Amino acid sequence: MNKICPICNGVLAPGIQAWHFKCMTCRYEKSDLQPTINDFSSHELINESDRETGLHQIRRSNFNKLINTISHIGNSGKTLVDVGCAHGWFVEAAMKKFDVLGIEPDEAVFRSTTAKGLPVRKGYFPDALEQSETFDVVVFNDVIEHIPDIDNVLRACHERLNKGGLLVLNLPSSDGFFYRLSKLFCRTGKIGFFERLWQKNLPSPHVHYFNSKNLSRLLTNKQFTIIKSGTLPTLGLDGLYTRISYTGKLGTLSKVFIYCAIAVALPFLRLLPSDIIYIVAKKT
Ligand SMILES: [Zn+2]
């Protein structure tokens, strides 16, 4: 694995697990976890339909906020590509304001999204695109943190954006309360939560953990200008129980206990640093 920080070129130091690394200068974090996308065995670990229902409410509300933000910047009615569009929730919401295309590499997910009649193409970005295809907006919702070659993908974004086009990234933040809590647990030997946030042993684990500051610096290095950045809520009550259930390893009592604890704490948790950030950047 390349042990050089993609943001500040510092040497990455060992992290808190054998597969985890961090930059002591800009606080970027990296893993060498391997993807197993389209590998049937890891798909069995998660209940795909539970996962879909559990995440839907909070994602849909966050997607609407993002779409409003982008259209206020003045790119509505134009072409948009949603990279790694999964079940097509963002594509569906964005279709009201943009001319949308989704791209999805996972065969099973691609088939179910196409069956809903949504405009999706199978494959990876940018290989799934025609040579001459360009867009006004390129969106990555919980996707960029899964892509090992970050330099190449940002270069492709720059190439595939029209003049003044927008790159929109929505992703987990290493400044988030839950992520920091998971590191604290991990240091005391309870590694499950930390592994879960990196999506270890799931079909497509995370390879990067950014925060707003180091990600902005990376985008500036790659010829983008930051237009807007902010946070989105991590948790809502709708779909929370299904979401707690979806890795399938917890007993019912534990699930109920976790649900109640989160429900009671929710108003306070909203005051803490969010685990989801977004950045809207313009092609310079
Ligand atoms: Zn660094």
Side-chain angles (χ1 to χ4, degrees), residues 103-278:
I103 300 180
E104 173 54 43
D106 187 292
E107 176 71 40
V109 178
F110 163 75
R111 266 190 268 133
S112 92
T113 308
T114 312
K116 293 179 203 164
L118 295 171
V120 187
R121 213 176 287 169
K122 185 177 179 282
Y124 289 91
F125 174 85
D127 303 344
L129 300 175
E130 307 286 333
Q131 203 115 52
S132 61
E133 236 172 344
T134 58
F135 298 86
D136 297 307
V137 186
V138 177
V139 182
F140 291 77
N141 287 302
D142 283 310
V143 167
I144 203 86
E145 69 276 17
H146 297 267
I147 302 177
D149 194 343
I150 191 83
D151 283 347
N152 239 330
V153 75
L154 291 177
R155 196 176 307 124
C157 290
H158 203 273
E159 280 168 14
R160 296 303 186 141
L161 277 167
N162 295 328
K163 194 180 174 207
L166 300 178
L167 173 63
V168 181
L169 305 177
N170 161 17
L171 70 165
S173 164
S174 62
D175 281 343
F177 170 72
F178 287 107
Y179 185 64
R180 290 197 274 191
L181 189 65
S182 82
K183 288 209 274 193
L184 200 68
F185 284 157
C186 190
R187 289 199 178 92
T188 65
K190 294 177 180 63
I191 61 172
F193 190 23
F194 186 67
E195 289 186 342
R196 167 78 183 74
L197 289 184
W198 279 92
Q199 303 195 356
K200 187 172 183 282
N201 301 326
L202 290 182
S204 176
H206 292 171
V207 284
H208 316 281
Y209 241 106
F210 298 100
N211 63 20
S212 196
K213 196 175 168 191
N214 58 33
L215 183 58
S216 298
R217 184 172 165 190
L218 176 65
L219 292 175
T220 308
N221 290 346
K222 303 293 177 193
Q223 315 302 317
F224 288 95
T225 307
I226 310 302
I227 302 289
K228 198 171 165 61
S229 66
T231 61
L232 294 165
T234 318
L235 287 170
L237 279 188
D238 292 340
L240 179 63
Y241 187 78
T242 331
R243 210 175 148 185
I244 293 167
S245 306
Y246 95 73
T247 51
K249 283 182 192 164
L250 295 166
T252 307
L253 201 63
S254 311
K255 289 180 201 168
V256 171
F257 178 77
I258 294 170
Y259 178 85
C260 292
I262 295 176
V264 170
L266 204 57
F268 304 100
L269 293 176
R270 292 237 164 101
L271 302 172
L272 299 166
S274 177
D275 280 68
I276 305 177
I277 50 169
Y278 73 87

Side-chain angles (χ1 to χ4, degrees), residues 5-10 12 23-28 217:
C5 173
I7 301 163
C8 71
N9 292 321
L12 298 178
C23 175
M24 306 308 275
T25 312
C26 74
R27 296 178 55 225
Y28 160 79
R217 184 172 165 190

